[in-house]
Amino acid sequence: MKRILVVDGDTGVRARIAKHARMEGYDVTEAGDGETALSLSRQQNAFDLMVLAVNLPGMDGFTVLKAVRTFSAIPVLILSSKNTAEDRIHGLELGADDYISKAFGSMELVSRVRARLRSATHEEAVTSGIR
């Protein structure tokens, strides 16, 4: 079972994402702030993917992403109400694998999660010599 860390300061948004991910069969852990997300992501092989909001209490999502990239290549999907080209580029340049506007549909998000996990599984197989 794939493990997903869902990080959002908005309890309702976080719960909705977690609910849909669990319905798809994922094991979901939730975090409501950047410090908790960073601490959880430091656990070795704890998660297969992170859904990370930009606007978080304390440490923002971009700061979390930058820190995570110093020790992990976990796929990260950024969620943000900031939807300018500059914001999307900034998130992707920091190492995000995808950037989704907070005006997202649950099915779109789940589809993007599946795609990222498929991609990560394929990359692992190629890296380990399995084709």
Side-chain angles (χ1 to χ4, degrees), residues 62-108:
F62 288 145
T63 304
V64 172
L65 176 59
K66 190 174 179 180
V68 166
R69 284 297 175 245
T70 66
F71 61 84
S72 176
I74 182 175
V76 176
L77 279 71
I78 292 285
L79 292 179
S80 181
S81 55
K82 298 178 178 184
N83 199 26
T84 66
E86 292 81 15
D87 289 320
R88 290 190 305 271
I89 290 166
H90 181 63
L92 294 168
E93 290 293 321
L94 286 174
D97 296 279
D98 203 350
Y99 194 105
I100 305 168
S101 170
K102 274 231 178 163
F104 64 90
S106 298
M107 292 310 298
E108 177 188 5

Side-chain angles (χ1 to χ4, degrees), residues 113-124:
V113 165
R114 265 190 253 129
R116 279 295 138 209
L117 288 171
R118 240 187 347 262
S119 205
T121 300
H122 174 73
E123 288 173 17
E124 288 172 12

